[in-house]
Amino acid sequence: MSTPSKVFVAGATGLLGSQIISSLLDQGAPVRAMVRPGADAEKRGALTALRSRGLEVVEGDITDPIEQLAASIGDAATVVSAVQGGPDVIVDGQANLARAAAKAGAGRFIPSDFAVDVTKLDDGDNFMIDWRRRAATEYADAGLEVVSVLNGAFYEVMVGFMGLVDWDRGTLSHWGDPDQPLDMTSVPDTAAYTAAVALDPEATGTLRFAGEVLSMRQFHDAVQRGSGRTLELRRLGTADELRAEIERQAALTQNPFDYIALQYQWCMVTGKGKFDALDNARYPRITPTSVTDFVRAASPTA
Ligand SMILES: NC(=O)c1ccc[n+]([C@@H]2O[C@H](COP(=O)([O-])OP(=O)(O)OC[C@H]3O[C@@H](n4cnc5c(N)ncnc54)[C@H](OP(=O)(O)O)[C@@H]3O)[C@@H](O)[C@H]2O)c1
């Protein structure tokens, strides 16, 4: 079997980026990871430890001058971005990275999308997704193939950041129709699909993956089964009432991150960001974990 071509990963110290690197190395791919000069010592150390598995580590920032960034990318055939940040990073930084990748001779760019179906949303639905669509128009003419990977919501986010589950009160709260199907995938499975796409020269366009497609009612069952806990399923209101709640909060704060979790929920519970079809079958080797198993593994007493 021939050696896969080299993959450059930006966002290497991040939650998703670090797991994309592990998945790529597991598949025998040569990987070059970019780490910011000021990156956390522990995260940098974890990457350094992967050098024995063939990982190259370079210092840099996706906002570096193009010539410098292109030199960092070197002979990589595919550039994967798993960065997170504001518009300076997601729009300007990623456009810069895509242009540097093209300059270095890389043929493909996988941007840091990793969300619900960004192509179906409108400006104002979710400000972080707005940045990703703006970025896409910026790097559309960068001179390389852009392949977008979408995964719905991370399981980790569904049971954590979204604020749906309150273990102390024993509740699982949600907005909208409890029977609306929702796309969701664990971080490791999203990383595995991203690595598979990065190493698949035939992959083009937007690819959509989900570990599971569950309604809130089914998600509630899965969380109860996995945790061994009984949780009261509470409906907070309709999807329209959720939109009104987002607008109410937006009027009260200067910081849109205060209501971003609600914007992600709105995109999901309305069905607006729902995938029409999945590309899981393209990579049958990947068998994503279920929400039940994910929650069971995270609940040692279950
Ligand atoms: N679908 C979902 O439910 C979901 C949930 C969470 C995240 N995501 C998506 O997954 C992607 C990755 O998120 P994450 O949670 O893994 O992010 P994260 O843990 O916050 O990591 C972000 C990474 O970006 C790097 N970075 C930031 N600015 C940079 C710059 N200017 N140059 C180079 N590197 C830079 C950071 O480096 P430092 O270590 O130096 O700061 C870090 O490695 C994002 O697109 C995010 O929206 C999706």
Side-chain angles (χ1 to χ4, degrees), residues 17-54:
S18 57
Q19 299 206 38
I20 293 172
I21 290 172
S22 295
S23 287
L24 286 165
L25 293 173
D26 288 346
Q27 292 177 54
V31 185
R32 177 175 294 178
M34 194 172 77
V35 178
R36 291 201 284 184
D40 176 84
E42 197 177 321
K43 291 178 180 171
R44 179 190 286 265
L47 284 175
T48 307
L50 294 175
R51 280 194 166 134
S52 60
R53 296 178 62 197

PDB file of all heavy atoms in Angstrom, residues 17-54:
ATOM      1  N   GLY A  17      -8.861  19.343  16.687  1.00  0.00           N
ATOM      2  CA  GLY A  17      -7.632  19.243  15.890  1.00  0.00           C
ATOM      3  C   GLY A  17      -6.708  18.155  16.401  1.00  0.00           C
ATOM      4  O   GLY A  17      -6.124  17.389  15.611  1.00  0.00           O
ATOM      5  N   SER A  18      -6.562  18.053  17.723  1.00  0.00           N
ATOM      6  CA  SER A  18      -5.636  17.049  18.286  1.00  0.00           C
ATOM      7  C   SER A  18      -6.131  15.648  17.947  1.00  0.00           C
ATOM      8  O   SER A  18      -5.336  14.748  17.669  1.00  0.00           O
ATOM      9  CB  SER A  18      -5.503  17.239  19.801  1.00  0.00           C
ATOM     10  OG  SER A  18      -6.767  17.169  20.415  1.00  0.00           O
ATOM     11  N   GLN A  19      -7.456  15.474  17.905  1.00  0.00           N
ATOM     12  CA  GLN A  19      -7.986  14.130  17.602  1.00  0.00           C
ATOM     13  C   GLN A  19      -7.937  13.832  16.106  1.00  0.00           C
ATOM     14  O   GLN A  19      -7.801  12.673  15.697  1.00  0.00           O
ATOM     15  CB  GLN A  19      -9.397  14.001  18.160  1.00  0.00           C
ATOM     16  CG  GLN A  19      -9.356  14.189  19.674  1.00  0.00           C
ATOM     17  CD  GLN A  19     -10.477  13.499  20.410  1.00  0.00           C
ATOM     18  OE1 GLN A  19     -10.882  12.400  20.058  1.00  0.00           O
ATOM     19  NE2 GLN A  19     -10.964  14.141  21.444  1.00  0.00           N
ATOM     20  N   ILE A  20      -8.020  14.879  15.291  1.00  0.00           N
ATOM     21  CA  ILE A  20      -7.840  14.666  13.843  1.00  0.00           C
ATOM     22  C   ILE A  20      -6.409  14.164  13.602  1.00  0.00           C
ATOM     23  O   ILE A  20      -6.174  13.236  12.820  1.00  0.00           O
ATOM     24  CB  ILE A  20      -8.108  15.962  13.045  1.00  0.00           C
ATOM     25  CG1 ILE A  20      -9.591  16.351  13.137  1.00  0.00           C
ATOM     26  CG2 ILE A  20      -7.687  15.816  11.585  1.00  0.00           C
ATOM     27  CD1 ILE A  20      -9.934  17.721  12.538  1.00  0.00           C
ATOM     28  N   ILE A  21      -5.457  14.766  14.300  1.00  0.00           N
ATOM     29  CA  ILE A  21      -4.051  14.339  14.147  1.00  0.00           C
ATOM     30  C   ILE A  21      -3.902  12.871  14.545  1.00  0.00           C
ATOM     31  O   ILE A  21      -3.287  12.076  13.820  1.00  0.00           O
ATOM     32  CB  ILE A  21      -3.127  15.253  14.982  1.00  0.00           C
ATOM     33  CG1 ILE A  21      -3.087  16.634  14.337  1.00  0.00           C
ATOM     34  CG2 ILE A  21      -1.725  14.658  15.106  1.00  0.00           C
ATOM     35  CD1 ILE A  21      -2.369  17.690  15.152  1.00  0.00           C
ATOM     36  N   SER A  22      -4.482  12.484  15.688  1.00  0.00           N
ATOM     37  CA  SER A  22      -4.387  11.079  16.123  1.00  0.00           C
ATOM     38  C   SER A  22      -4.983  10.151  15.072  1.00  0.00           C
ATOM     39  O   SER A  22      -4.397   9.115  14.750  1.00  0.00           O
ATOM     40  CB  SER A  22      -5.139  10.855  17.434  1.00  0.00           C
ATOM     41  OG  SER A  22      -4.535  11.572  18.446  1.00  0.00           O
ATOM     42  N   SER A  23      -6.141  10.537  14.525  1.00  0.00           N
ATOM     43  CA  SER A  23      -6.790   9.682  13.516  1.00  0.00           C
ATOM     44  C   SER A  23      -5.930   9.563  12.260  1.00  0.00           C
ATOM     45  O   SER A  23      -5.827   8.489  11.675  1.00  0.00           O
ATOM     46  CB  SER A  23      -8.148  10.253  13.114  1.00  0.00           C
ATOM     47  OG  SER A  23      -9.073  10.082  14.127  1.00  0.00           O
ATOM     48  N   LEU A  24      -5.321  10.686  11.859  1.00  0.00           N
ATOM     49  CA  LEU A  24      -4.463  10.650  10.667  1.00  0.00           C
ATOM     50  C   LEU A  24      -3.249   9.748  10.911  1.00  0.00           C
ATOM     51  O   LEU A  24      -2.891   8.926  10.050  1.00  0.00           O
ATOM     52  CB  LEU A  24      -3.997  12.071  10.316  1.00  0.00           C
ATOM     53  CG  LEU A  24      -5.050  12.993   9.695  1.00  0.00           C
ATOM     54  CD1 LEU A  24      -4.586  14.447   9.746  1.00  0.00           C
ATOM     55  CD2 LEU A  24      -5.346  12.578   8.252  1.00  0.00           C
ATOM     56  N   LEU A  25      -2.638   9.880  12.087  1.00  0.00           N
ATOM     57  CA  LEU A  25      -1.462   9.051  12.394  1.00  0.00           C
ATOM     58  C   LEU A  25      -1.861   7.574  12.464  1.00  0.00           C
ATOM     59  O   LEU A  25      -1.131   6.701  11.994  1.00  0.00           O
ATOM     60  CB  LEU A  25      -0.824   9.498  13.721  1.00  0.00           C
ATOM     61  CG  LEU A  25      -0.178  10.894  13.707  1.00  0.00           C
ATOM     62  CD1 LEU A  25       0.270  11.287  15.120  1.00  0.00           C
ATOM     63  CD2 LEU A  25       1.005  10.971  12.734  1.00  0.00           C
ATOM     64  N   ASP A  26      -3.055   7.307  13.035  1.00  0.00           N
ATOM     65  CA  ASP A  26      -3.548   5.917  13.099  1.00  0.00           C
ATOM     66  C   ASP A  26      -3.641   5.315  11.700  1.00  0.00           C
ATOM     67  O   ASP A  26      -3.505   4.101  11.537  1.00  0.00           O
ATOM     68  CB  ASP A  26      -4.957   5.860  13.725  1.00  0.00           C
ATOM     69  CG  ASP A  26      -4.942   6.135  15.221  1.00  0.00           C
ATOM     70  OD1 ASP A  26      -3.854   6.115  15.818  1.00  0.00           O
ATOM     71  OD2 ASP A  26      -6.029   6.385  15.785  1.00  0.00           O
ATOM     72  N   GLN A  27      -3.920   6.161  10.713  1.00  0.00           N
ATOM     73  CA  GLN A  27      -4.060   5.656   9.335  1.00  0.00           C
ATOM     74  C   GLN A  27      -2.737   5.724   8.572  1.00  0.00           C
ATOM     75  O   GLN A  27      -2.709   5.569   7.353  1.00  0.00           O
ATOM     76  CB  GLN A  27      -5.151   6.445   8.612  1.00  0.00           C
ATOM     77  CG  GLN A  27      -6.512   6.119   9.222  1.00  0.00           C
ATOM     78  CD  GLN A  27      -7.649   6.918   8.616  1.00  0.00           C
ATOM     79  OE1 GLN A  27      -7.816   6.920   7.408  1.00  0.00           O
ATOM     80  NE2 GLN A  27      -8.408   7.583   9.466  1.00  0.00           N
ATOM     81  N   GLY A  28      -1.659   5.979   9.291  1.00  0.00           N
ATOM     82  CA  GLY A  28      -0.330   5.929   8.677  1.00  0.00           C
ATOM     83  C   GLY A  28       0.011   7.137   7.835  1.00  0.00           C
ATOM     84  O   GLY A  28       0.931   7.090   7.015  1.00  0.00           O
ATOM     85  N   ALA A  29      -0.726   8.248   8.027  1.00  0.00           N
ATOM     86  CA  ALA A  29      -0.467   9.436   7.201  1.00  0.00           C
ATOM     87  C   ALA A  29       0.664  10.273   7.805  1.00  0.00           C
ATOM     88  O   ALA A  29       0.724  10.430   9.021  1.00  0.00           O
ATOM     89  CB  ALA A  29      -1.728  10.279   7.106  1.00  0.00           C
ATOM     90  N   PRO A  30       1.514  10.837   6.956  1.00  0.00           N
ATOM     91  CA  PRO A  30       2.471  11.826   7.452  1.00  0.00           C
ATOM     92  C   PRO A  30       1.707  13.118   7.780  1.00  0.00           C
ATOM     93  O   PRO A  30       0.865  13.555   6.984  1.00  0.00           O
ATOM     94  CB  PRO A  30       3.431  12.044   6.282  1.00  0.00           C
ATOM     95  CG  PRO A  30       2.967  11.182   5.171  1.00  0.00           C
ATOM     96  CD  PRO A  30       1.628  10.614   5.513  1.00  0.00           C
ATOM     97  N   VAL A  31       1.963  13.691   8.959  1.00  0.00           N
ATOM     98  CA  VAL A  31       1.207  14.869   9.398  1.00  0.00           C
ATOM     99  C   VAL A  31       2.166  15.948   9.873  1.00  0.00           C
ATOM    100  O   VAL A  31       3.131  15.667  10.585  1.00  0.00           O
ATOM    101  CB  VAL A  31       0.248  14.519  10.570  1.00  0.00           C
ATOM    102  CG1 VAL A  31      -0.618  15.727  10.937  1.00  0.00           C
ATOM    103  CG2 VAL A  31      -0.627  13.329  10.225  1.00  0.00           C
ATOM    104  N   ARG A  32       1.865  17.178   9.468  1.00  0.00           N
ATOM    105  CA  ARG A  32       2.592  18.341   9.984  1.00  0.00           C
ATOM    106  C   ARG A  32       1.586  19.208  10.734  1.00  0.00           C
ATOM    107  O   ARG A  32       0.571  19.626  10.161  1.00  0.00           O
ATOM    108  CB  ARG A  32       3.222  19.125   8.838  1.00  0.00           C
ATOM    109  CG  ARG A  32       3.921  20.381   9.317  1.00  0.00           C
ATOM    110  CD  ARG A  32       4.637  21.069   8.201  1.00  0.00           C
ATOM    111  NE  ARG A  32       5.740  20.267   7.706  1.00  0.00           N
ATOM    112  CZ  ARG A  32       6.516  20.631   6.701  1.00  0.00           C
ATOM    113  NH1 ARG A  32       6.299  21.764   6.061  1.00  0.00           N
ATOM    114  NH2 ARG A  32       7.496  19.862   6.306  1.00  0.00           N
ATOM    115  N   ALA A  33       1.859  19.442  12.012  1.00  0.00           N
ATOM    116  CA  ALA A  33       0.915  20.201  12.848  1.00  0.00           C
ATOM    117  C   ALA A  33       1.480  21.576  13.121  1.00  0.00           C
ATOM    118  O   ALA A  33       2.667  21.712  13.427  1.00  0.00           O
ATOM    119  CB  ALA A  33       0.714  19.465  14.172  1.00  0.00           C
ATOM    120  N   MET A  34       0.615  22.597  13.016  1.00  0.00           N
ATOM    121  CA  MET A  34       1.060  23.948  13.330  1.00  0.00           C
ATOM    122  C   MET A  34       0.601  24.339  14.737  1.00  0.00           C
ATOM    123  O   MET A  34      -0.582  24.200  15.070  1.00  0.00           O
ATOM    124  CB  MET A  34       0.533  24.957  12.332  1.00  0.00           C
ATOM    125  CG  MET A  34       1.280  26.275  12.481  1.00  0.00           C
ATOM    126  SD  MET A  34       0.844  27.421  11.180  1.00  0.00           S
ATOM    127  CE  MET A  34      -0.721  27.948  11.762  1.00  0.00           C
ATOM    128  N   VAL A  35       1.558  24.811  15.527  1.00  0.00           N
ATOM    129  CA  VAL A  35       1.289  25.199  16.915  1.00  0.00           C
ATOM    130  C   VAL A  35       1.670  26.660  17.075  1.00  0.00           C
ATOM    131  O   VAL A  35       2.737  27.091  16.605  1.00  0.00           O
ATOM    132  CB  VAL A  35       2.137  24.320  17.873  1.00  0.00           C
ATOM    133  CG1 VAL A  35       1.918  24.743  19.308  1.00  0.00           C
ATOM    134  CG2 VAL A  35       1.787  22.857  17.679  1.00  0.00           C
ATOM    135  N   ARG A  36       0.798  27.416  17.733  1.00  0.00           N
ATOM    136  CA  ARG A  36       1.124  28.836  17.935  1.00  0.00           C
ATOM    137  C   ARG A  36       2.256  28.975  18.953  1.00  0.00           C
ATOM    138  O   ARG A  36       2.325  28.190  19.911  1.00  0.00           O
ATOM    139  CB  ARG A  36      -0.108  29.590  18.428  1.00  0.00           C
ATOM    140  CG  ARG A  36      -1.148  29.686  17.343  1.00  0.00           C
ATOM    141  CD  ARG A  36      -2.097  30.798  17.597  1.00  0.00           C
ATOM    142  NE  ARG A  36      -3.077  30.511  18.631  1.00  0.00           N
ATOM    143  CZ  ARG A  36      -4.042  31.341  18.945  1.00  0.00           C
ATOM    144  NH1 ARG A  36      -4.132  32.509  18.341  1.00  0.00           N
ATOM    145  NH2 ARG A  36      -4.927  31.025  19.879  1.00  0.00           N
ATOM    146  N   PRO A  37       3.122  29.978  18.773  1.00  0.00           N
ATOM    147  CA  PRO A  37       4.261  30.131  19.683  1.00  0.00           C
ATOM    148  C   PRO A  37       3.835  30.191  21.151  1.00  0.00           C
ATOM    149  O   PRO A  37       4.510  29.648  22.012  1.00  0.00           O
ATOM    150  CB  PRO A  37       4.902  31.457  19.237  1.00  0.00           C
ATOM    151  CG  PRO A  37       4.463  31.622  17.815  1.00  0.00           C
ATOM    152  CD  PRO A  37       3.129  30.968  17.688  1.00  0.00           C
ATOM    153  N   GLY A  38       2.669  30.789  21.438  1.00  0.00           N
ATOM    154  CA  GLY A  38       2.260  30.927  22.841  1.00  0.00           C
ATOM    155  C   GLY A  38       1.378  29.795  23.337  1.00  0.00           C
ATOM    156  O   GLY A  38       0.739  29.934  24.390  1.00  0.00           O
ATOM    157  N   ALA A  39       1.324  28.676  22.610  1.00  0.00           N
ATOM    158  CA  ALA A  39       0.372  27.607  22.972  1.00  0.00           C
ATOM    159  C   ALA A  39       0.680  27.025  24.340  1.00  0.00           C
ATOM    160  O   ALA A  39       1.842  26.985  24.769  1.00  0.00           O
ATOM    161  CB  ALA A  39       0.399  26.512  21.912  1.00  0.00           C
ATOM    162  N   ASP A  40      -0.365  26.559  24.985  1.00  0.00           N
ATOM    163  CA  ASP A  40      -0.298  25.926  26.299  1.00  0.00           C
ATOM    164  C   ASP A  40       0.766  24.816  26.314  1.00  0.00           C
ATOM    165  O   ASP A  40       0.800  23.963  25.424  1.00  0.00           O
ATOM    166  CB  ASP A  40      -1.692  25.343  26.552  1.00  0.00           C
ATOM    167  CG  ASP A  40      -1.780  24.563  27.829  1.00  0.00           C
ATOM    168  OD1 ASP A  40      -1.982  25.201  28.852  1.00  0.00           O
ATOM    169  OD2 ASP A  40      -1.651  23.320  27.772  1.00  0.00           O
ATOM    170  N   ALA A  41       1.642  24.839  27.350  1.00  0.00           N
ATOM    171  CA  ALA A  41       2.786  23.923  27.393  1.00  0.00           C
ATOM    172  C   ALA A  41       2.335  22.461  27.432  1.00  0.00           C
ATOM    173  O   ALA A  41       2.940  21.595  26.793  1.00  0.00           O
ATOM    174  CB  ALA A  41       3.653  24.252  28.603  1.00  0.00           C
ATOM    175  N   GLU A  42       1.245  22.193  28.160  1.00  0.00           N
ATOM    176  CA  GLU A  42       0.790  20.803  28.274  1.00  0.00           C
ATOM    177  C   GLU A  42       0.303  20.281  26.917  1.00  0.00           C
ATOM    178  O   GLU A  42       0.631  19.163  26.514  1.00  0.00           O
ATOM    179  CB  GLU A  42      -0.340  20.738  29.300  1.00  0.00           C
ATOM    180  CG  GLU A  42      -0.616  19.334  29.793  1.00  0.00           C
ATOM    181  CD  GLU A  42      -1.706  19.331  30.858  1.00  0.00           C
ATOM    182  OE1 GLU A  42      -1.722  20.260  31.702  1.00  0.00           O
ATOM    183  OE2 GLU A  42      -2.546  18.435  30.805  1.00  0.00           O
ATOM    184  N   LYS A  43      -0.452  21.128  26.196  1.00  0.00           N
ATOM    185  CA  LYS A  43      -0.977  20.706  24.883  1.00  0.00           C
ATOM    186  C   LYS A  43       0.173  20.541  23.892  1.00  0.00           C
ATOM    187  O   LYS A  43       0.197  19.614  23.082  1.00  0.00           O
ATOM    188  CB  LYS A  43      -1.975  21.737  24.363  1.00  0.00           C
ATOM    189  CG  LYS A  43      -3.262  21.759  25.168  1.00  0.00           C
ATOM    190  CD  LYS A  43      -4.185  22.821  24.641  1.00  0.00           C
ATOM    191  CE  LYS A  43      -5.488  22.857  25.427  1.00  0.00           C
ATOM    192  NZ  LYS A  43      -6.298  24.020  25.073  1.00  0.00           N
ATOM    193  N   ARG A  44       1.120  21.449  23.971  1.00  0.00           N
ATOM    194  CA  ARG A  44       2.293  21.361  23.086  1.00  0.00           C
ATOM    195  C   ARG A  44       3.067  20.066  23.387  1.00  0.00           C
ATOM    196  O   ARG A  44       3.501  19.357  22.478  1.00  0.00           O
ATOM    197  CB  ARG A  44       3.179  22.584  23.334  1.00  0.00           C
ATOM    198  CG  ARG A  44       4.442  22.628  22.529  1.00  0.00           C
ATOM    199  CD  ARG A  44       5.300  23.756  23.058  1.00  0.00           C
ATOM    200  NE  ARG A  44       4.774  25.046  22.663  1.00  0.00           N
ATOM    201  CZ  ARG A  44       5.177  25.715  21.583  1.00  0.00           C
ATOM    202  NH1 ARG A  44       6.119  25.212  20.820  1.00  0.00           N
ATOM    203  NH2 ARG A  44       4.670  26.873  21.278  1.00  0.00           N
ATOM    204  N   GLY A  45       3.184  19.763  24.698  1.00  0.00           N
ATOM    205  CA  GLY A  45       3.895  18.551  25.120  1.00  0.00           C
ATOM    206  C   GLY A  45       3.218  17.302  24.581  1.00  0.00           C
ATOM    207  O   GLY A  45       3.882  16.354  24.147  1.00  0.00           O
ATOM    208  N   ALA A  46       1.869  17.303  24.607  1.00  0.00           N
ATOM    209  CA  ALA A  46       1.131  16.130  24.112  1.00  0.00           C
ATOM    210  C   ALA A  46       1.429  15.915  22.633  1.00  0.00           C
ATOM    211  O   ALA A  46       1.567  14.778  22.169  1.00  0.00           O
ATOM    212  CB  ALA A  46      -0.361  16.331  24.339  1.00  0.00           C
ATOM    213  N   LEU A  47       1.574  17.006  21.891  1.00  0.00           N
ATOM    214  CA  LEU A  47       1.886  16.882  20.463  1.00  0.00           C
ATOM    215  C   LEU A  47       3.322  16.424  20.256  1.00  0.00           C
ATOM    216  O   LEU A  47       3.603  15.576  19.403  1.00  0.00           O
ATOM    217  CB  LEU A  47       1.681  18.225  19.756  1.00  0.00           C
ATOM    218  CG  LEU A  47       0.243  18.628  19.473  1.00  0.00           C
ATOM    219  CD1 LEU A  47       0.201  20.023  18.883  1.00  0.00           C
ATOM    220  CD2 LEU A  47      -0.432  17.633  18.531  1.00  0.00           C
ATOM    221  N   THR A  48       4.209  16.976  21.078  1.00  0.00           N
ATOM    222  CA  THR A  48       5.625  16.597  20.958  1.00  0.00           C
ATOM    223  C   THR A  48       5.775  15.084  21.143  1.00  0.00           C
ATOM    224  O   THR A  48       6.564  14.429  20.463  1.00  0.00           O
ATOM    225  CB  THR A  48       6.464  17.371  21.997  1.00  0.00           C
ATOM    226  OG1 THR A  48       6.170  18.753  21.827  1.00  0.00           O
ATOM    227  CG2 THR A  48       7.954  17.149  21.811  1.00  0.00           C
ATOM    228  N   ALA A  49       4.944  14.542  22.071  1.00  0.00           N
ATOM    229  CA  ALA A  49       5.023  13.101  22.327  1.00  0.00           C
ATOM    230  C   ALA A  49       4.660  12.283  21.081  1.00  0.00           C
ATOM    231  O   ALA A  49       5.078  11.138  20.943  1.00  0.00           O
ATOM    232  CB  ALA A  49       4.085  12.746  23.481  1.00  0.00           C
ATOM    233  N   LEU A  50       3.884  12.908  20.173  1.00  0.00           N
ATOM    234  CA  LEU A  50       3.484  12.182  18.960  1.00  0.00           C
ATOM    235  C   LEU A  50       4.574  12.194  17.893  1.00  0.00           C
ATOM    236  O   LEU A  50       4.408  11.588  16.838  1.00  0.00           O
ATOM    237  CB  LEU A  50       2.190  12.794  18.389  1.00  0.00           C
ATOM    238  CG  LEU A  50       0.942  12.648  19.261  1.00  0.00           C
ATOM    239  CD1 LEU A  50      -0.236  13.399  18.646  1.00  0.00           C
ATOM    240  CD2 LEU A  50       0.587  11.172  19.440  1.00  0.00           C
ATOM    241  N   ARG A  51       5.671  12.876  18.181  1.00  0.00           N
ATOM    242  CA  ARG A  51       6.776  12.911  17.190  1.00  0.00           C
ATOM    243  C   ARG A  51       7.288  11.500  16.918  1.00  0.00           C
ATOM    244  O   ARG A  51       7.727  11.200  15.816  1.00  0.00           O
ATOM    245  CB  ARG A  51       7.908  13.803  17.697  1.00  0.00           C
ATOM    246  CG  ARG A  51       7.612  15.271  17.483  1.00  0.00           C
ATOM    247  CD  ARG A  51       8.888  16.067  17.681  1.00  0.00           C
ATOM    248  NE  ARG A  51       8.700  17.416  17.168  1.00  0.00           N
ATOM    249  CZ  ARG A  51       9.061  18.514  17.816  1.00  0.00           C
ATOM    250  NH1 ARG A  51       9.649  18.433  18.984  1.00  0.00           N
ATOM    251  NH2 ARG A  51       8.864  19.696  17.285  1.00  0.00           N
ATOM    252  N   SER A  52       7.227  10.638  17.970  1.00  0.00           N
ATOM    253  CA  SER A  52       7.705   9.259  17.790  1.00  0.00           C
ATOM    254  C   SER A  52       6.814   8.517  16.778  1.00  0.00           C
ATOM    255  O   SER A  52       7.211   7.486  16.249  1.00  0.00           O
ATOM    256  CB  SER A  52       7.708   8.530  19.128  1.00  0.00           C
ATOM    257  OG  SER A  52       6.399   8.522  19.637  1.00  0.00           O
ATOM    258  N   ARG A  53       5.603   9.024  16.550  1.00  0.00           N
ATOM    259  CA  ARG A  53       4.714   8.401  15.553  1.00  0.00           C
ATOM    260  C   ARG A  53       4.819   9.118  14.206  1.00  0.00           C
ATOM    261  O   ARG A  53       4.001   8.912  13.325  1.00  0.00           O
ATOM    262  CB  ARG A  53       3.273   8.417  16.056  1.00  0.00           C
ATOM    263  CG  ARG A  53       3.090   7.566  17.311  1.00  0.00           C
ATOM    264  CD  ARG A  53       1.668   7.630  17.823  1.00  0.00           C
ATOM    265  NE  ARG A  53       0.712   7.094  16.856  1.00  0.00           N
ATOM    266  CZ  ARG A  53      -0.607   7.313  16.903  1.00  0.00           C
ATOM    267  NH1 ARG A  53      -1.106   8.051  17.885  1.00  0.00           N
ATOM    268  NH2 ARG A  53      -1.396   6.807  15.994  1.00  0.00           N
ATOM    269  N   GLY A  54       5.809   9.989  14.093  1.00  0.00           N
ATOM    270  CA  GLY A  54       6.069  10.613  12.789  1.00  0.00           C
ATOM    271  C   GLY A  54       5.482  11.999  12.631  1.00  0.00           C
ATOM    272  O   GLY A  54       5.505  12.552  11.528  1.00  0.00           O
TER     273      GLY A  54
END
